[in-house]
Amino acid sequence: MKSYLVEIINNTSDKLEYLKEVDYKISVPNQNAHGDYSINAAMLLSKKLNRNPREIAQEIINNIEYDINIISKIEIAGPGFINFFFNPLFVVRIINDVLSDPMDYGKLDNFKGKKANVEFVSANPTGPLTVGHGRNAVVGDTISNMLEWIGYEVDREFYFNNAGRQMRVLGDSVKKRYLALLYDDTEDFPEDYYQGEYIIDIAEELKNEFGDKLIEESPEGIFKQRAEKNIFADIENTLDALKIKIKIFFNENSLYEDGKIDDLLSKFKEMDISYENEGAVWLRLKEMGNEQDKVIIKSTGEPTYRLPDIAYHTTKFDRGYDLIVDIFGSDHNATYPDVVAALKAMGYDTEKIKVVIYQFVTIMEGNEKVKMSTRKANFITLDELINEVGPDVVRYFFIMQNTTTHLNFDLELAKKHSDENPVFYLQYAHARISSILKVTHEQGLKLSTQNLELLVTESELNILKKLSIFKEEILYSAIQFEPHRIAVYLLELAGLFHKFYNECRIIGSENKLAEARIALVTAVQIVIRNGLRILGVTAPEKM
RNA sequence: GCGCCAGUAGCUCAAUGGAUAGAGCACCAGCCUUCUAAGCUGUAGGUUAGAGGUUCGAGUCCUCUCUGGCGUACCA
């Protein structure tokens, strides 16, 4: 529908030059009475042309050439909207479109041939993934899916650091637990060490395997290595449970081994965007328009996180991506501008970088907030959550809300009333259609697109209209990086279907109508299934 | 102090600068001898935190104030 509209308006602007000078918008009105599409061009032009907007609208309409079989009516409404009413006989063709490509309907090729890198999760192997990581993981994977649906080839990437202070503390935490197990020692365990049960599990494993042979081993040896190995295995299992497949695990350490860090430092020096002061190396961020200069090499000689972060991003550019997406929690919102500024100063096209900052997840246990800290181990792991409510609910819950808003996750509610989760409403629509198709098939009814014009009730037309904006919705959601829109769209479509279900029957209707309705619900099922695929949520045949 | 995000119905949230701000949950009243009642219909619920401004038009953009979250390291 929309492409036809764009076409006829473009043709019109050859006659009315002023249409080319205005950035008008084609929108879907929220009331049926306002047509299928609406444009606001006349109102925007009013001032420029110093004319009454309704008068301009009339002139535009007079100059539009269109096929009456496609558009049945164009009218001026309100302050100067031009509303387009499509002919239901044309709208109904959306069913043919959907049915012609059941597996992939909704896929677009707007960005075909482009490569994207989406970095997400990026948790260091110091403990199991938390619920906070869950939002990151689901947002990242869903955005990756959306980008794939609009044509990108996407690499899902996980960046981690298995060196540094955190990891030393991790190794030492394991060793302390190991010694405590051997000597049945209840000696005080340092408060700033990793407190979680999983540390004891690792220590126990080592004790069973090696007995007391590790007493003299360095904490950074087998203790750290085993901890990293086990924790990483856990992380991958958890992601697997959410059906997330990471393609590239990028080790920060490789940046040092490859000499990327040294190269970067000399480049900074060469370009004079770094300087030394009080024994540390600073980056001239203030000159780049940021708040203040920041340290990249401490006076101890150790780099701060910024240096490898910048080096890491240069590799993303060097690897030839057209789009570089970073998924960060809001606690990182102050860090990425420094990275971007440095890259820009070095001449990289930072327009390619899109940083998605999602707000925090607050876990509520009834009325009580649960503070999350890997170190303190008073967190609920993502694994536990998945076990409680299942991967579909977890994925849907994390994606149904705009990433810009806080997510209140009431565990009691999620556990107790999980069957009231909106995801079931959506899945139920899909399962219901499966059931309808099964029963109608048994009755000898077939799908037919021969008499789609019989679909005329309001609930049927509303569904057709909704189906026909599916692709627009995917494109818009993807380029805006707003995965929740897909969830909202599907919920609305499911709602329209449930309404139809209660108003229109298939079995019992005249054969031609029944078969047209089968085509309709099949199309709905395809769109719901494909939409759920983007969200990584299953579409059950039965509930 | 400064920066980012949020504040919309009792609760959780939608709304691409457009027309009468919408859903779900909860409450109340209805709808199953017919394709899945995890559903549908109806009632009720709003000064879009507050005050200014820009605009033909503001929940949306700008300024200020209030509330909450996250930052503001030679931690990551």
Side-chain angles (χ1 to χ4, degrees), chain A residues 293-407:
Chain A
D293 291 354
K294 296 273 174 66
V295 171
I296 48 175
I297 303 273
K298 300 184 227 173
S299 49
T300 60
E302 278 183 300
T304 65
Y305 67 90
R306 275 177 211 98
L307 187 59
D309 267 10
I310 296 165
Y312 172 46
H313 277 79
T314 64
T315 75
K316 294 188 188 180
F317 281 99
D318 295 344
R319 285 182 276 159
Y321 293 109
D322 300 289
L323 175 67
I324 296 165
V325 184
D326 290 327
I327 313 290
F328 291 147
S330 61
D331 54 337
H332 281 67
N333 82 77
T335 71
Y336 78 88
D338 294 341
V339 174
V340 172
L343 291 165
K344 197 171 179 184
M346 285 189 292
Y348 288 101
D349 177 10
T350 51
E351 294 292 306
K352 287 182 179 173
I353 301 178
K354 168 69 186 180
V355 178
V356 176
I357 300 279
Y358 63 90
Q359 296 301 310
F360 262 47
V361 178
T362 308
I363 301 293
M364 307 292 286
E365 191 94 68
N367 283 329
E368 214 167 311
K369 266 190 195 177
V370 183
K371 273 281 175 194
M372 306 293 283
S373 161
T374 308
R375 183 81 44 96
K376 292 194 182 122
N378 58 347
F379 54 90
I380 291 117
T381 67
L382 182 53
D383 244 358
E384 286 162 355
L385 187 65
I386 297 167
N387 287 336
E388 288 285 349
V389 300
D392 284 342
V393 171
V394 171
R395 284 200 69 128
Y396 196 83
F397 210 103
F398 282 136
I399 217 62
M400 64 185 284
Q401 253 174 62
N402 199 328
T403 52
T404 58
T405 71
H406 280 257
L407 186 57

Side-chain angles (χ1 to χ4, degrees), chain A residues 278-514:
Chain A
E278 294 175 356
V281 181
W282 298 69
L283 206 54
R284 296 189 197 279
L285 287 160
K286 215 167 174 178
E287 282 179 23
M288 304 173 195
N290 284 16
E291 197 110 335
Q292 50 187 307
D293 291 354
K294 296 273 174 66
V295 171
I296 48 175
I297 303 273
K298 300 184 227 173
S299 49
T300 60
E302 278 183 300
T304 65
Y305 67 90
R306 275 177 211 98
L307 187 59
D309 267 10
I310 296 165
Y312 172 46
H313 277 79
T314 64
T315 75
K316 294 188 188 180
F317 281 99
D318 295 344
R319 285 182 276 159
Y321 293 109
D322 300 289
L323 175 67
I324 296 165
V325 184
D326 290 327
I327 313 290
F328 291 147
S330 61
D331 54 337
H332 281 67
N333 82 77
T335 71
Y336 78 88
D338 294 341
V339 174
V340 172
L343 291 165
K344 197 171 179 184
M346 285 189 292
Y348 288 101
D349 177 10
T350 51
E351 294 292 306
K352 287 182 179 173
I353 301 178
K354 168 69 186 180
V355 178
V356 176
I357 300 279
Y358 63 90
Q359 296 301 310
F360 262 47
V361 178
T362 308
I363 301 293
M364 307 292 286
E365 191 94 68
N367 283 329
E368 214 167 311
K369 266 190 195 177
V370 183
K371 273 281 175 194
M372 306 293 283
S373 161
T374 308
R375 183 81 44 96
K376 292 194 182 122
N378 58 347
F379 54 90
I380 291 117
T381 67
L382 182 53
D383 244 358
E384 286 162 355
L385 187 65
I386 297 167
N387 287 336
E388 288 285 349
V389 300
D392 284 342
V393 171
V394 171
R395 284 200 69 128
Y396 196 83
F397 210 103
F398 282 136
I399 217 62
M400 64 185 284
Q401 253 174 62
N402 199 328
T403 52
T404 58
T405 71
H406 280 257
L407 186 57
N408 288 314
F409 204 128
D410 188 335
L411 271 178
E412 268 177 25
L413 204 73
K415 290 175 191 172
K416 210 168 21 178
H417 302 292
S418 65
D419 59 326
E420 286 170 10
N421 192 296
V423 71
F424 292 103
Y425 183 84
L426 198 39
Q427 291 182 316
Y428 183 56
H430 184 272
R432 231 181 187 179
I433 294 172
S434 291
S435 173
I436 291 173
L437 294 177
K438 186 166 163 267
V439 175
T440 52
H441 182 74
E442 284 163 7
Q443 302 257 330
L445 289 164
K446 281 176 288 191
L447 180 157
S448 166
T449 53
Q450 293 305 305
N451 301 99
L452 296 178
E453 71 281 357
L454 296 174
L455 303 173
V456 292
T457 68
E458 195 186 349
S459 58
E460 288 164 329
L461 295 177
N462 283 339
I463 289 173
L464 294 170
K465 197 169 158 181
K466 200 74 182 173
L467 291 176
S468 60
I469 61 169
F470 182 53
K471 286 185 173 180
E472 286 170 44
E473 199 59 48
I474 289 173
L475 182 61
Y476 189 80
S477 305
I479 62 180
Q480 296 289 328
F481 301 90
E482 291 183 351
H484 75 285
R485 296 187 62 100
I486 303 285
V488 171
Y489 169 88
L490 292 176
L491 217 50
E492 286 169 355
L493 177 61
L496 292 174
F497 165 74
H498 285 309
K499 194 179 161 84
F500 159 84
Y501 176 85
N502 278 271
E503 287 174 9
C504 304
R505 300 200 59 81
I506 294 176
I507 294 170
S509 294
E510 193 270 327
N511 254 27
K512 282 180 179 170
L513 176 60

Side-chain angles (χ1 to χ4, degrees), chain A residues 240-309:
Chain A
D240 205 53
L242 289 175
K243 286 165 287 181
I244 295 172
K245 301 256 180 292
I246 303 292
K247 182 173 176 195
I248 301 164
F249 284 89
F250 195 107
N251 189 339
E252 178 184 320
N253 216 32
S254 70
L255 297 166
Y256 293 90
E257 290 162 359
D258 298 350
K260 291 253 165 41
I261 299 289
D262 289 336
D263 290 352
L264 187 61
L265 273 175
S266 40
K267 187 152 189 198
F268 281 157
K269 205 170 174 183
E270 191 183 307
M271 296 179 72
D272 194 32
I273 48 185
S274 66
Y275 62 94
E276 281 186 43
N277 188 27
E278 294 175 356
V281 181
W282 298 69
L283 206 54
R284 296 189 197 279
L285 287 160
K286 215 167 174 178
E287 282 179 23
M288 304 173 195
N290 284 16
E291 197 110 335
Q292 50 187 307
D293 291 354
K294 296 273 174 66
V295 171
I296 48 175
I297 303 273
K298 300 184 227 173
S299 49
T300 60
E302 278 183 300
T304 65
Y305 67 90
R306 275 177 211 98
L307 187 59
D309 267 10

